[in-house]
Amino acid sequence: MLTDNKPISGESPGPDLEHLWQEYIYDGIYTIGNTWEFDSVQGIDPAAVAQFCWLKYQEEKGIADLQPENEGNLSLLFPLADAQKYAERYFNLTTLDVSKIPDYYYKPEKQAFTFTPNLEDFKPFDTIVNGWGIRLDKVVRSNDGTLTVGVEYYTDNRVGSRHTFTLKERADGSLYFVDGRREFINNHLVALTGDIKEFQNIEGFSGDLQEVAIVGEAEGKLLLVYAPYNQSQSPALLLLNPNDMKVEQRVELSSRIESTEVKFSDGRWFVRFKDRVSVYSRDLEVLEEIPLPAIVAAKIEREQKYDSMGLADVYFGGYDISSDLSRIVYTDEIGVKLVTLEDGKEKLLAKTVGPKPSEPSRGALLTPSYHCFPRFVADERKVITTLTGYESTSGFTFCDLDKGTSTRVDIVIEGSLATGVIRYDTGLLFVNGYWYAESSRENNGQTDGYKTTFLDFHTGKVREIELSEPGDTGYIRFDDQSYIGRNFAAFVTSKRSGSDSINDRHYLNRIELGTLKPEQEIVSITAAAPHILGVLSDGRIVFWYQYNPAEKGICITSASSASSE
């Protein structure tokens, strides 16, 4: 007889381990396994359940009888009725709740899911290393027919986490999932050096720090916007005390926004919605609700369309409102436009920039540069926009509102929101950017190397900053690797080991904006890259890191000595 909690091996009775791995666990890892913890199958993301069922359907019946979603589309329609049959077999679910599944996975009018065919013809055995670094650890069987299956995830040649699935056995020997949970392991791989204060998390906030941005600072408090990707969660404005990392105030927003649509100026919050601008006091009380002019709202409501060459026939690149609530600037397929709210009059500030055939296109079609993320800067006497490019920005445009002129600044940046992340009326910092020499633009694209530069909003000039320790170059930098504040800017540099991430070293650096003098490597982090939330007026940098959910922290550095001079 089996004893309770007896491990299953090749010598003990029970299900064949390879069949268990192939039939249930392998396909569950990257579908239902993305729900890290569920006490019942009703707690699993129903889209993940449907994806698991889709894999099983293909194994048994193939795809020959399925219809494409649209002509020329690779996605196929997987009928809800078929999905529910497999959901009952593998999850004991009599119905599959599709009410909250995104429309790119499920089409209610067709009563079908839309999935692309699975191209994997062979599943690796449980004893073979797979591309995820996952292996079957152990299987334990209880007398009541319950199987507990342990799976180990390897990261940097260590067990980084363990996923446990529980399955029940029916009288016919078939199994169905009951619950599951993933436990991350703190291997103490991250090491920090420098004058910092570390916290485990932000007290009063349980969301993802990747979806948080600091938009300002007032009376010693940090002003944060939370813009979650998950549509079931509400965006919010937060007041945070940086001394103890506690949220002191929070207000939920009624409509979805991006973090780039919130600014703090003149002691007030401005939240740019699609139909209105909401103005809040520093203490999160609603002061005004300003409807957008009809001409701007109509541009936002349009569906973006493209011609046969992939160029935008209908385009909207965002808007901004002045602090005195008198003007709105926005961009469309025509260019940059200024609207005066008092009389509704509109003025074209700059046209969409046409392509230059003489410039290198990197193998792409020569296309116009559309203006996006317009922002009032230089005491709101100018408007700056980002110019779109092929897999990059192609530069910036300054519109001088006093002179009625527009000037282009040729700075090419990859992987950045550029003017969308402006928080203060100071400038933009470009760390280790790849600069083309003016004399060699048509000479096989040769360059004069990597530079760190600062674009000053008030002067419109680009100034170079000499870094004694530039770190590694030649990779796309993410937006949270730098932040430009009121008096200081902060940025990350890295020195990678070339093997695994545990030997990588990352550094926090600071620049005093008045002198553009860098203060380098004030903090070093091993194994996990830092993500900058913001830099305070005294030079303190707020950042967070996460090697995995068990090894993470949020930190604040000491102030800069330059702040007291």
Side-chain angles (χ1 to χ4, degrees):
M1 292 181 61
L2 289 174
T3 59
D4 197 29
N5 298 331
K6 181 179 179 67
I8 293 174
S9 66
E11 299 177 355
S12 63
D16 176 77
L17 291 184
E18 187 57 40
H19 172 74
L20 180 67
W21 171 262
Q22 297 274 345
E23 181 74 7
Y24 300 92
I25 304 304
Y26 183 79
D27 290 331
I29 288 170
Y30 61 99
T31 54
I32 63 171
N34 288 327
T35 302
W36 287 356
E37 184 170 351
F38 56 95
D39 295 320
S40 68
V41 290
Q42 285 78 12
I44 307 175
D45 179 1
V49 172
Q51 288 173 321
F52 182 95
C53 297
W54 167 237
L55 297 173
K56 296 306 167 186
Y57 178 93
Q58 292 175 90
E59 286 181 12
E60 292 189 354
K61 299 184 178 182
I63 60 174
D65 296 333
L66 299 179
Q67 299 297 317
E69 179 185 0
N70 296 302
E71 185 177 350
N73 195 323
L74 294 178
S75 296
L76 300 175
L77 293 174
F78 177 39
L80 173 61
D82 289 322
Q84 291 190 150
K85 292 177 182 178
Y86 287 89
E88 184 171 6
R89 182 196 303 182
Y90 288 97
F91 301 94
N92 220 34
L93 285 170
T94 55
T95 59
L96 189 57
D97 182 11
V98 297
S99 62
K100 295 183 179 180
I101 296 181
D103 55 9
Y104 50 80
Y105 279 142
Y106 183 71
K107 305 299 179 185
E109 70 279 6
K110 297 182 179 181
Q111 292 287 288
F113 297 92
T114 58
F115 294 129
T116 55
N118 181 33
L119 302 178
E120 188 174 33
D121 296 326
F122 171 75
K123 296 180 187 177
F125 298 117
D126 71 288
T127 55
I128 297 176
V129 176
N130 50 68
W132 299 316
I134 300 172
R135 73 175 185 86
L136 190 64
D137 178 31
K138 63 180 178 179
V139 181
V140 175
R141 181 181 182 183
S142 302
N143 284 334
D144 63 357
T146 299
L147 287 179
T148 302
V149 183
V151 177
E152 291 184 334
Y153 292 67
Y154 280 79
T155 304
D156 293 330
N157 300 315
R158 292 172 174 82
V159 178
S161 65
R162 293 185 178 91
H163 210 140
T164 302
F165 295 100
T166 303
L167 300 95
K168 285 270 190 174
E169 188 174 21
R170 298 187 179 96
D172 63 1
S174 64
L175 302 170
Y176 60 92
F177 288 94
V178 176
D179 59 42
R181 57 192 43 81
R182 187 171 178 180
E183 174 193 10
F184 288 85
I185 299 168
N186 187 346
N187 287 310
H188 302 285
L189 299 175
V190 178
L192 293 91
T193 62
D195 189 1
I196 61 172
K197 186 177 182 180
E198 184 175 4
F199 303 84
Q200 184 64 31
N201 50 42
I202 294 177
E203 186 175 330
F205 175 77
S206 59
D208 190 339
L209 285 175
Q210 294 184 83
E211 300 168 334
V212 172
I214 294 178
V215 299
E217 174 189 3
E219 300 176 15
K221 303 297 188 297
L222 301 184
L223 316 176
L224 280 66
V225 55
Y226 171 50
Y229 176 78
N230 190 331
Q231 296 185 9
S232 65
Q233 298 172 346
S234 298
L237 306 179
L238 312 172
L239 284 182
L240 176 70
N241 188 329
N243 298 318
D244 55 14
M245 284 297 163
K246 292 182 180 179
V247 173
E248 296 186 346
Q249 283 181 270
R250 176 186 181 121
V251 62
E252 305 287 337
L253 301 179
S254 58
S255 303
R256 298 198 60 77
I257 58 165
E258 301 291 335
S259 64
T260 53
E261 298 309 324
V262 179
K263 72 175 180 179
F264 184 78
S265 177
D266 194 28
R268 295 169 294 166
W269 303 71
F270 297 80
V271 184
R272 298 182 288 260
F273 294 105
K274 293 183 178 180
D275 60 346
R276 69 191 188 282
V277 175
S278 295
V279 183
Y280 292 81
S281 69
R282 173 261 187 224
D283 296 319
L284 300 178
E285 294 182 359
V286 178
L287 299 176
E288 290 186 74
E289 293 276 356
I290 302 168
L292 288 185
I295 190 171
V296 180
K299 293 292 178 72
I300 296 176
E301 292 173 357
R302 301 177 303 167
E303 179 182 356
Q304 192 157 320
K305 296 181 179 179
Y306 303 88
D307 62 18
S308 59
M309 298 293 291
L311 305 181
D313 284 330
V314 175
Y315 173 82
F316 185 79
Y319 77 93
D320 192 15
I321 189 167
S322 61
S323 298
D324 62 4
L325 306 178
S326 66
R327 298 170 296 175
I328 282 180
V329 61
Y330 76 94
T331 66
D332 62 7
E333 64 274 12
I334 304 300
V336 186
K337 299 177 179 179
L338 183 72
V339 179
T340 305
L341 295 183
E342 183 178 0
D343 55 18
K345 291 184 178 180
E346 183 178 86
K347 179 182 180 181
L348 180 64
L349 301 179
K351 294 181 180 180
T352 295
V353 180
K356 294 183 179 180
S358 62
E359 293 185 353
S361 64
R362 299 167 57 192
L365 292 172
L366 291 173
T367 62
S369 287
Y370 300 99
H371 297 271
C372 61
F373 299 115
R375 297 291 184 263
F376 287 102
V377 295
D379 298 324
E380 302 193 340
R381 299 193 310 273
K382 298 178 183 178
V383 168
I384 187 173
T385 69
T386 300
L387 291 168
T388 62
Y390 175 67
E391 295 183 348
S392 65
T393 68
S394 63
F396 303 89
T397 296
F398 276 114
C399 300
D400 192 309
L401 301 179
D402 296 332
K403 298 179 181 178
T405 59
S406 63
T407 306
R408 179 173 175 174
V409 181
D410 290 322
I411 301 177
V412 177
I413 300 297
E414 293 183 297
S416 175
L417 292 173
T419 52
V421 296
I422 292 174
R423 304 301 181 190
Y424 291 91
D425 190 14
T426 49
L428 288 174
L429 178 68
F430 308 102
V431 179
N432 291 335
Y434 201 40
W435 280 72
Y436 283 90
E438 289 296 327
S439 61
S440 62
R441 279 188 175 271
E442 300 179 25
N443 184 21
N444 299 320
Q446 295 182 9
T447 69
D448 60 357
Y450 293 93
K451 296 181 181 179
T452 294
T453 54
F454 181 75
L455 173 60
D456 189 298
F457 292 157
H458 295 267
T459 65
K461 295 181 179 180
V462 178
R463 299 167 62 186
E464 184 173 355
I465 301 171
E466 292 288 343
L467 298 182
S468 59
E469 297 290 343
D472 293 340
T473 57
Y475 61 89
I476 295 176
R477 298 175 59 84
F478 295 106
D479 299 309
D480 59 7
Q481 290 183 306
S482 64
Y483 188 97
I484 303 91
R486 181 185 298 122
N487 301 321
F488 294 87
F491 63 96
V492 176
T493 54
S494 301
K495 296 177 182 177
R496 292 175 168 83
S497 64
S499 53
D500 53 42
S501 64
I502 62 173
N503 293 316
D504 293 346
R505 292 184 69 86
H506 309 275
Y507 304 92
L508 281 177
N509 311 270
R510 184 164 47 207
I511 293 176
E512 202 277 314
L513 295 179
T515 62
L516 292 187
K517 180 180 179 181
E519 184 183 357
Q520 291 212 247
E521 300 186 357
I522 58 177
V523 173
S524 70
I525 305 99
T526 302
H531 306 263
I532 299 176
L533 278 181
V535 56
L536 283 64
S537 58
D538 61 6
R540 286 180 293 168
I541 304 169
V542 181
F543 70 97
W544 61 275
Y545 70 89
Q546 178 172 302
Y547 183 82
N548 65 36
E551 191 167 355
K552 62 181 181 179
I554 181 165
C555 311
I556 183 168
T557 72
S558 60
S560 170
S561 58
S563 63
S564 60
E565 294 177 359

Short mmCIF file of all heavy atoms in Angstrom, two decimals, residues 472-499:
data_model
loop_
_atom_site.label_atom_id
_atom_site.label_comp_id
_atom_site.label_asym_id
_atom_site.label_seq_id
_atom_site.Cartn_x
_atom_site.Cartn_y
_atom_site.Cartn_z
N ASP A 472 29.74 50.49 -20.04
CA ASP A 472 29.53 49.85 -21.33
C ASP A 472 28.65 50.73 -22.21
O ASP A 472 27.78 51.46 -21.73
CB ASP A 472 28.86 48.49 -21.16
CG ASP A 472 29.77 47.49 -20.46
OD1 ASP A 472 31.00 47.71 -20.46
OD2 ASP A 472 29.26 46.49 -19.92
N THR A 473 28.85 50.63 -23.52
CA THR A 473 28.05 51.37 -24.49
C THR A 473 27.53 50.40 -25.55
O THR A 473 27.84 49.22 -25.54
CB THR A 473 28.88 52.48 -25.15
OG1 THR A 473 30.04 51.88 -25.77
CG2 THR A 473 29.35 53.51 -24.14
N GLY A 474 26.73 50.95 -26.45
CA GLY A 474 26.27 50.13 -27.58
C GLY A 474 24.99 49.36 -27.34
O GLY A 474 24.68 48.45 -28.09
N TYR A 475 24.23 49.70 -26.30
CA TYR A 475 22.95 49.04 -26.06
C TYR A 475 21.87 50.09 -25.85
O TYR A 475 22.15 51.23 -25.51
CB TYR A 475 23.03 48.11 -24.85
CG TYR A 475 23.36 48.79 -23.54
CD1 TYR A 475 22.36 49.29 -22.72
CD2 TYR A 475 24.69 48.93 -23.12
CE1 TYR A 475 22.67 49.92 -21.52
CE2 TYR A 475 25.01 49.57 -21.93
CZ TYR A 475 23.99 50.06 -21.13
OH TYR A 475 24.29 50.69 -19.95
N ILE A 476 20.61 49.69 -26.07
CA ILE A 476 19.49 50.61 -25.91
C ILE A 476 19.22 50.81 -24.42
O ILE A 476 19.07 49.84 -23.68
CB ILE A 476 18.24 50.07 -26.62
CG1 ILE A 476 18.48 50.02 -28.13
CG2 ILE A 476 17.02 50.93 -26.32
CD1 ILE A 476 17.34 49.41 -28.92
N ARG A 477 19.15 52.04 -24.01
CA ARG A 477 18.91 52.37 -22.62
C ARG A 477 17.42 52.56 -22.38
O ARG A 477 16.72 53.17 -23.18
CB ARG A 477 19.67 53.65 -22.24
CG ARG A 477 21.18 53.54 -22.37
CD ARG A 477 21.84 54.88 -22.10
NE ARG A 477 21.52 55.36 -20.77
CZ ARG A 477 22.18 54.99 -19.65
NH1 ARG A 477 23.19 54.14 -19.74
NH2 ARG A 477 21.83 55.47 -18.48
N PHE A 478 16.93 52.04 -21.24
CA PHE A 478 15.53 52.19 -20.91
C PHE A 478 15.29 53.55 -20.24
O PHE A 478 16.20 54.20 -19.72
CB PHE A 478 15.08 51.05 -19.99
CG PHE A 478 15.13 49.70 -20.65
CD1 PHE A 478 16.13 48.80 -20.32
CD2 PHE A 478 14.20 49.34 -21.60
CE1 PHE A 478 16.20 47.56 -20.93
CE2 PHE A 478 14.25 48.11 -22.21
CZ PHE A 478 15.26 47.21 -21.88
N ASP A 479 14.03 53.96 -20.24
CA ASP A 479 13.69 55.29 -19.75
C ASP A 479 13.97 55.46 -18.27
O ASP A 479 14.27 56.57 -17.81
CB ASP A 479 12.21 55.59 -20.03
CG ASP A 479 11.91 55.56 -21.51
OD1 ASP A 479 12.63 56.23 -22.26
OD2 ASP A 479 10.99 54.84 -21.92
N ASP A 480 13.85 54.37 -17.48
CA ASP A 480 14.08 54.51 -16.04
C ASP A 480 15.55 54.40 -15.67
O ASP A 480 15.89 54.23 -14.51
CB ASP A 480 13.25 53.50 -15.25
CG ASP A 480 13.57 52.06 -15.63
OD1 ASP A 480 14.52 51.83 -16.40
OD2 ASP A 480 12.86 51.16 -15.14
N GLN A 481 16.44 54.52 -16.65
CA GLN A 481 17.87 54.55 -16.35
C GLN A 481 18.40 55.98 -16.25
O GLN A 481 19.60 56.18 -16.08
CB GLN A 481 18.66 53.78 -17.42
CG GLN A 481 18.43 52.27 -17.34
CD GLN A 481 19.26 51.51 -18.34
OE1 GLN A 481 19.24 51.77 -19.53
NE2 GLN A 481 20.01 50.55 -17.84
N SER A 482 17.51 56.95 -16.34
CA SER A 482 17.91 58.33 -16.10
C SER A 482 16.68 59.13 -15.67
O SER A 482 15.54 58.73 -15.90
CB SER A 482 18.54 58.97 -17.35
OG SER A 482 17.60 59.06 -18.39
N TYR A 483 16.93 60.25 -15.02
CA TYR A 483 15.85 61.13 -14.55
C TYR A 483 16.42 62.53 -14.41
O TYR A 483 17.51 62.70 -13.85
CB TYR A 483 15.31 60.64 -13.20
CG TYR A 483 14.08 61.37 -12.72
CD1 TYR A 483 12.80 60.84 -12.92
CD2 TYR A 483 14.18 62.59 -12.05
CE1 TYR A 483 11.67 61.49 -12.47
CE2 TYR A 483 13.05 63.26 -11.60
CZ TYR A 483 11.80 62.70 -11.81
OH TYR A 483 10.67 63.36 -11.37
N ILE A 484 15.68 63.52 -14.93
CA ILE A 484 16.12 64.91 -14.86
C ILE A 484 15.22 65.65 -13.91
O ILE A 484 14.01 65.79 -14.16
CB ILE A 484 16.11 65.58 -16.25
CG1 ILE A 484 16.99 64.80 -17.23
CG2 ILE A 484 16.65 67.01 -16.14
CD1 ILE A 484 16.26 63.76 -18.01
N GLY A 485 15.77 66.10 -12.79
CA GLY A 485 14.99 66.80 -11.78
C GLY A 485 15.12 68.29 -11.87
O GLY A 485 15.49 68.85 -12.91
N ARG A 486 14.85 68.97 -10.76
CA ARG A 486 14.89 70.44 -10.72
C ARG A 486 16.33 70.95 -10.70
O ARG A 486 16.68 71.87 -11.42
CB ARG A 486 14.14 70.95 -9.50
CG ARG A 486 14.11 72.47 -9.38
CD ARG A 486 13.45 72.93 -8.09
NE ARG A 486 12.07 72.52 -8.02
CZ ARG A 486 11.55 71.75 -7.04
NH1 ARG A 486 12.33 71.33 -6.06
NH2 ARG A 486 10.28 71.43 -7.04
N ASN A 487 17.16 70.37 -9.85
CA ASN A 487 18.54 70.84 -9.70
C ASN A 487 19.57 69.80 -10.12
O ASN A 487 20.73 70.16 -10.39
CB ASN A 487 18.82 71.22 -8.24
CG ASN A 487 17.89 72.31 -7.75
OD1 ASN A 487 17.57 73.24 -8.48
ND2 ASN A 487 17.44 72.19 -6.50
N PHE A 488 19.15 68.54 -10.16
CA PHE A 488 20.07 67.45 -10.46
C PHE A 488 19.45 66.48 -11.45
O PHE A 488 18.22 66.38 -11.56
CB PHE A 488 20.44 66.67 -9.18
CG PHE A 488 21.21 67.46 -8.17
CD1 PHE A 488 20.55 68.23 -7.22
CD2 PHE A 488 22.59 67.43 -8.16
CE1 PHE A 488 21.26 68.96 -6.28
CE2 PHE A 488 23.31 68.16 -7.22
CZ PHE A 488 22.64 68.93 -6.28
N ALA A 489 20.32 65.78 -12.14
CA ALA A 489 19.91 64.64 -12.97
C ALA A 489 20.64 63.41 -12.44
O ALA A 489 21.73 63.51 -11.87
CB ALA A 489 20.25 64.87 -14.44
N ALA A 490 20.04 62.25 -12.61
CA ALA A 490 20.66 60.99 -12.20
C ALA A 490 20.59 60.01 -13.36
O ALA A 490 19.64 60.04 -14.15
CB ALA A 490 19.96 60.42 -10.97
N PHE A 491 21.59 59.15 -13.45
CA PHE A 491 21.59 58.16 -14.53
C PHE A 491 22.37 56.92 -14.12
O PHE A 491 23.15 56.94 -13.14
CB PHE A 491 22.16 58.76 -15.82
CG PHE A 491 23.61 59.19 -15.74
CD1 PHE A 491 24.63 58.37 -16.17
CD2 PHE A 491 23.94 60.44 -15.24
CE1 PHE A 491 25.95 58.76 -16.10
CE2 PHE A 491 25.26 60.86 -15.16
CZ PHE A 491 26.27 60.01 -15.59
N VAL A 492 22.15 55.84 -14.85
CA VAL A 492 22.78 54.55 -14.57
C VAL A 492 23.83 54.25 -15.63
O VAL A 492 23.62 54.49 -16.82
CB VAL A 492 21.72 53.42 -14.59
CG1 VAL A 492 22.38 52.05 -14.39
CG2 VAL A 492 20.66 53.66 -13.52
N THR A 493 24.98 53.75 -15.19
CA THR A 493 25.96 53.16 -16.09
C THR A 493 26.20 51.72 -15.65
O THR A 493 25.95 51.37 -14.50
CB THR A 493 27.29 53.93 -16.08
OG1 THR A 493 27.76 54.05 -14.72
CG2 THR A 493 27.12 55.31 -16.68
N SER A 494 26.66 50.90 -16.58
CA SER A 494 26.80 49.46 -16.28
C SER A 494 28.10 48.92 -16.85
O SER A 494 28.61 49.41 -17.86
CB SER A 494 25.62 48.68 -16.89
OG SER A 494 24.39 49.13 -16.38
N LYS A 495 28.59 47.88 -16.18
CA LYS A 495 29.74 47.11 -16.66
C LYS A 495 29.35 45.65 -16.57
O LYS A 495 29.23 45.09 -15.49
CB LYS A 495 30.98 47.40 -15.81
CG LYS A 495 31.45 48.85 -15.91
CD LYS A 495 32.64 49.11 -14.99
CE LYS A 495 33.06 50.59 -15.07
NZ LYS A 495 34.19 50.89 -14.14
N ARG A 496 29.09 45.07 -17.74
CA ARG A 496 28.58 43.71 -17.79
C ARG A 496 29.71 42.70 -17.85
O ARG A 496 30.76 42.95 -18.42
CB ARG A 496 27.63 43.54 -18.97
CG ARG A 496 26.33 44.33 -18.81
CD ARG A 496 25.46 44.24 -20.06
NE ARG A 496 24.12 44.74 -19.79
CZ ARG A 496 23.77 46.00 -19.81
NH1 ARG A 496 24.70 46.92 -20.06
NH2 ARG A 496 22.54 46.38 -19.56
N SER A 497 29.43 41.53 -17.28
CA SER A 497 30.47 40.50 -17.20
C SER A 497 30.56 39.68 -18.47
O SER A 497 31.57 39.04 -18.74
CB SER A 497 30.17 39.56 -16.02
OG SER A 497 28.94 38.87 -16.24
N GLY A 498 29.46 39.62 -19.24
CA GLY A 498 29.46 38.81 -20.44
C GLY A 498 29.07 37.38 -20.21
O GLY A 498 29.00 36.59 -21.14
N SER A 499 28.86 37.00 -18.94
CA SER A 499 28.47 35.61 -18.66
C SER A 499 27.05 35.58 -18.10
O SER A 499 26.09 35.41 -18.83
CB SER A 499 29.48 34.97 -17.69
OG SER A 499 29.64 35.77 -16.52
#
